[in-house]
Amino acid sequence: MKRILLFLSLTLNAFGFKLDEIQGIMQKNINTSLKLLQTNTDKKAVASKIFELFDENFDYILMAKLSLSKHYDTLNKQEKEEFNKAFEANLKKSFTDKLSLYKDQVLKVENGERKNEKRYFLYTSMVIDGEKKMIVFKFYNNQDNWLIYDVDVLGVSIIQTYRSQFNDILENSNFSTLLQSLKV
């Protein structure tokens, strides 16, 4: 599971894709990322190059908002900005930390499915220990630019995972504690 989580952030602000470009560009960027991982030992440098490839395709602000759910609207403007920044940094740090788990896996775009006018799911696969695992990149339509707002691994959503963790923290503490936990 940890190796799979490595790729969650791989393809983790926002210029987006045209709908008909998603599959091709994602596979190209994934392939480039995998080559970087195979030929480079400096994981921070690799992570930085991977972020250069994918950052403009992720809507980190929407991801932060969705992960905080109903609590997001209770924040003032400054708190939202601080949370958005801390969320993105935490997500990227988590990805960078997991790069050491990479063991020559191949991530392959399988197909895409338009769920409705505003949602598109890109199905990708990775073989781990001889078993095919699915990763689904979820896109939404932002004025004909398609951006990633979530990634599912084995049916587990990054956003739902964060939402559960954040709710637990906020039920037992406050926003400052949550913010500090993201900065660790």
Side-chain angles (χ1 to χ4, degrees):
M1 181 73 171
K2 286 184 181 179
R3 283 187 251 161
I4 294 169
L5 290 175
L6 159 70
F7 287 94
L8 286 178
S9 302
L10 244 185
T11 48
L12 303 167
N13 68 47
F15 291 108
F17 297 102
K18 297 300 176 196
L19 184 61
D20 62 348
E21 299 174 332
I22 292 174
Q23 288 186 36
I25 293 174
M26 283 291 288
Q27 187 65 66
K28 179 180 173 244
N29 287 349
I30 288 167
N31 291 345
T32 300
S33 298
L34 294 172
K35 285 178 187 171
L36 286 168
L37 285 164
Q38 292 168 349
T39 60
N40 231 313
T41 56
D42 182 350
K43 300 302 180 190
K44 285 188 179 184
V46 169
S48 179
K49 289 178 183 178
I50 291 171
F51 295 138
E52 286 176 23
L53 287 172
F54 290 101
D55 264 352
E56 65 186 26
N57 307 120
F58 275 82
D59 190 337
Y60 292 114
I61 293 172
L62 179 59
M63 292 175 81
K65 183 177 181 175
L66 292 172
S67 68
L68 201 53
S69 187
K70 63 186 177 192
H71 303 289
Y72 193 83
D73 290 332
T74 66
L75 304 178
N76 65 40
K77 183 179 177 182
Q78 180 183 348
E79 289 172 328
K80 286 178 182 177
E81 289 174 7
E82 194 172 0
F83 177 76
N84 293 343
K85 185 178 176 182
F87 176 84
E88 181 179 344
N90 181 273
L91 193 62
K92 288 180 175 183
K93 180 185 180 310
S94 177
F95 167 73
T96 303
D97 292 347
K98 288 175 180 59
L99 281 178
S100 63
L101 301 173
Y102 174 74
K103 304 287 185 234
D104 295 326
Q105 289 87 3
V106 174
L107 191 60
K108 181 181 178 224
V109 171
E110 296 281 333
N111 62 4
E113 178 183 8
R114 190 153 182 189
K115 293 295 195 176
N116 59 42
E117 288 294 312
K118 296 183 179 192
R119 299 287 183 262
Y120 178 85
F121 290 6
L122 183 68
Y123 298 92
T124 60
S125 64
M126 181 187 325
V127 177
I128 299 176
D129 299 327
E131 189 177 336
K132 186 177 185 179
K133 308 287 186 183
M134 294 306 293
I135 299 172
V136 181
F137 294 92
K138 296 181 177 182
F139 292 80
Y140 79 100
N141 186 354
N142 181 18
Q143 301 175 352
D144 289 327
N145 290 305
W146 293 81
L147 299 166
I148 299 168
Y149 70 93
D150 195 6
V151 181
D152 283 2
V153 176
L154 302 175
V156 179
S157 156
I158 290 177
I159 298 305
Q160 289 176 352
T161 301
Y162 271 113
R163 186 180 299 139
S164 176
Q165 292 171 2
F166 295 166
N167 277 333
D168 286 347
I169 292 170
L170 291 172
E171 282 180 17
N172 298 307
S173 194
N174 59 29
F175 177 71
S176 295
T177 302
L178 171 62
L179 205 52
Q180 284 307 112
S181 74
L182 287 174
K183 294 178 180 180
V184 172

